[in-house]
Amino acid sequence: ADGTALVVVTHDPALASRGEFLAGQCFVKAAQDKDALKYFSLAAQRPNGPFADQAALAIAALQEKIGDTAGASTTLDRLVSTKQSGSVMGRAHLIRARLLLNAKQIDKARAELSQAASEDSSLAPSVEYYLAKCDLQKGDASAAAKRLAAAAKKFADDGMLPNILFDLAVAQTRCGDDRGALKTLSRQTHLDEETASQVLQMQAAITHRLGKFEDSQKHCNEFFKRFAGHPSTASIAFIAAENTFLAGDNESAVKRFGDFLKQYPTDAQAPKARLRAGWAAYRLKRFEEARDMLQPLAADATTNPDLPGALLALGDIAFAAQNWKVSEQSLSRYVAGSGEIQSADDALLQL
């Protein structure tokens, strides 16, 4: 249970093969992939070993996990070439399908999934799940949603259900059905850590997009509590700050976007975070603070579609300070590059 492997030295090849295979499984549970590969390789290389095929399949799965696509393909080609049948071969075709899917070879992936289904009927939930992924990669979200909805009903008690429901929600959002996606995500229970983090991220993003900022904030806070240090923390922190800004809580927005800039100064969203912090300070009539935030954005404000608003605020701040020349320069640049007609008209009035 703790991943410790006890290897028994024996002259019985069958027993030795079993021991090597079990040792490999122990190291997999202990997340010691290098040692797991070593013992699976020993079992796979035994002539006529009773665990040779299972060990080869385990090797391919580990190679896929660590990103050794070429190694996994070679291992699977060797395994499939034996032309055996049954569960091992079905899973071999399934892994092959995943590799092809990642390589965007959709038609070949579908062929492998068909083979997997014919070899092992117990793989049906996984086959339907990956066929839907093929639909998504082809850009047919409607077909994916229909397939996954049917799979969720048919395989309601299967271990693949969390994956099926999550991708169903993805397909629904791509079809423009955010409310349907939220309903689907609410059905998720007994999730592993990675899927749980993805569900929370999606719930935070969708509720934010729907203008349900309080609900979105709850999802963000739960994500921070459960998944501190997660690679997606920056994107969730931005959504959390944006929730306060769009809800009109300018005081909190200044603080949250300020914290975001301190923690993630090189993030892709940093310029927009600076813009939001500056605008929030501007709304609070803290003009000096707003100017300090917005001034660094002025140079890129006409080339970055997220940033023209910096020029509008800077122009208005200068106008209020009766700095006519600076105000005219900022507002003229804003008018020249703004696609926001109403705001551009407001700027023209100032001019």
Side-chain angles (χ1 to χ4, degrees), residues 14 40 269 304:
F40 285 140
Q269 292 279 44
N304 186 326

Side-chain angles (χ1 to χ4, degrees), residues 236-258:
I236 298 301
F238 185 86
I239 291 174
E242 188 84 327
N243 284 333
T244 61
F245 181 84
L246 294 177
D249 184 357
N250 295 305
E251 195 72 54
S252 295
V254 170
K255 183 180 186 310
R256 280 188 177 272
F257 280 119

